[in-house]
Amino acid sequence: MTSMRAESRHVPTGTVLLTGATLTVIGGVIGLAGAAITAVAAVVAVRRRVEQMETPPTELARRHWRRARTAVHAGTDAWRDGHLSEPIRMG
């Protein structure tokens, strides 16, 4: 009787490994498909948003870069001319 119980509990290791590997591959394929669909949807949404903007992002970037560069030059010139040598007094 003991030998029958041992045989009934025996599960072929190769079959279980193959089943696990197959399910892992299937899950990976489904995950990649989901990631691809999400990426395409995100790209479409960004393109629509950019098309709706009054000012293109490149022009906004140029505009802000010019402002930042002007502010840096103004601060540098003020520091060189000695306008910032005294501490700023509040109130």
Side-chain angles (χ1 to χ4, degrees), residues 55-75:
T55 307
T58 52
E59 180 57 34
L60 283 176
R62 283 189 197 114
R63 189 180 304 164
H64 288 294
W65 176 251
R66 283 191 299 261
R67 287 180 183 173
R69 193 174 53 202
T70 302
V72 167
H73 287 301

Side-chain angles (χ1 to χ4, degrees), residues 12-88:
T13 307
T15 305
V16 174
L17 258 149
L18 184 60
T19 303
T22 303
L23 290 173
T24 301
V25 169
I26 291 171
V29 169
I30 291 171
L32 285 174
I37 290 170
T38 302
V40 168
V43 168
V44 168
V46 168
R47 283 186 179 176
R48 285 183 184 161
R49 173 70 177 118
V50 168
E51 287 174 359
Q52 292 174 352
M53 295 176 74
E54 292 179 14
T55 307
T58 52
E59 180 57 34
L60 283 176
R62 283 189 197 114
R63 189 180 304 164
H64 288 294
W65 176 251
R66 283 191 299 261
R67 287 180 183 173
R69 193 174 53 202
T70 302
V72 167
H73 287 301
T76 304
D77 292 343
W79 180 74
R80 285 183 185 155
D81 293 341
H83 295 294
L84 296 178
S85 60
E86 296 179 17
I88 299 173

